[in-house]
Amino acid sequence: MYEGAVQDLIDELGRLPGVGPKSAQRIAFHLLSAESADVSRLVAALVRVQEEVRFCVTCYNVAEAEQCKICRDPRRTDDVLCVVEEPKDVVAIERTREFRGRYHVLGGAISPIDGVGPDDLRVKELMTRLMNGAVTELIIATDPNLEGEATAAYLARLVSPMGLAVSRLASGLPVGGDLEYADEVTLGRAFEGRRRIDA
Ligand SMILES: [Zn+2]
């Protein structure tokens, strides 16, 4: 549609999640007319994220050191572990201020349609963490949709011989949705009202 650099930018923006062709075009033209300092800041942020951000060696949250802030925090308890799909879910739960334990980020959810099975997620790493015996309660906070529920059921069955208390967030979360879209109060309540699941 456009020539060279402009079209390349539109194509790249269009590859981002949630950005359709129209939005890609709008963002591209916004950037074309933006102050050069603003564009430079955006470029610098992209470069920094690529160079400096990595995944925590313990929980697989995003981190700027070997371990993330949460794993490094000595004030948090080691006996409760909350399993989530993505780092953005950690942020959503942290916003509620209901949870003072640690996290484990799976990197997605089981989805046979998309060809994602347990081996594609950090399930083995979760089991290794649970083996050392420090964790007594596992809270499964996968998304309240088909894939999230399937993942929760799978994990509950998998860990059942370990004798942990396993719980799932209470209902009240928007069904079929994504954890990050729940407001803080709703998510906080779902956390407080979590229910034991017996596999
Ligand atoms: Zn961590």
Side-chain angles (χ1 to χ4, degrees), residues 56 58-61 68 71:
C56 172
T58 306
C59 75
Y60 303 94
N61 188 12
C68 73
C71 288

Side-chain angles (χ1 to χ4, degrees), residues 37-148:
D38 290 341
V39 177
S40 298
R41 250 198 335 275
L42 174 63
V43 171
L46 290 171
V47 171
R48 270 195 65 201
V49 115
Q50 204 175 29
E51 287 176 352
E52 296 173 22
V53 179
R54 43 191 170 154
F55 292 102
C56 172
V57 294
T58 306
C59 75
Y60 303 94
N61 188 12
V62 287
E64 293 205 358
E66 193 159 304
Q67 276 191 317
C68 73
K69 279 206 308 256
I70 295 167
C71 288
R72 291 201 311 266
D73 188 347
R75 292 164 302 179
R76 300 189 71 118
T77 63
D78 287 318
D79 52 350
V80 192
L81 191 67
C82 179
V83 178
V84 296
E85 293 181 21
E86 306 287 350
K88 61 185 163 58
D89 302 323
V90 172
V91 175
I93 293 169
E94 284 298 287
R95 271 204 308 260
T96 71
R97 299 171 183 278
E98 287 287 339
F99 183 60
R100 297 303 298 159
R102 311 280 183 185
Y103 291 94
H104 188 85
V105 182
L106 289 171
I110 294 171
S111 172
I113 292 172
D114 300 314
V116 181
D119 292 343
D120 302 305
L121 306 172
R122 295 177 193 114
V123 171
K124 237 181 267 130
E125 292 84 347
L126 172 65
M127 295 309 280
T128 306
R129 284 183 81 181
L130 295 176
M131 292 296 182
N132 79 16
V135 177
T136 56
E137 183 184 357
L138 190 70
I139 301 170
I140 305 177
T142 48
D143 286 342
N145 56 25
L146 217 60
E147 294 80 15

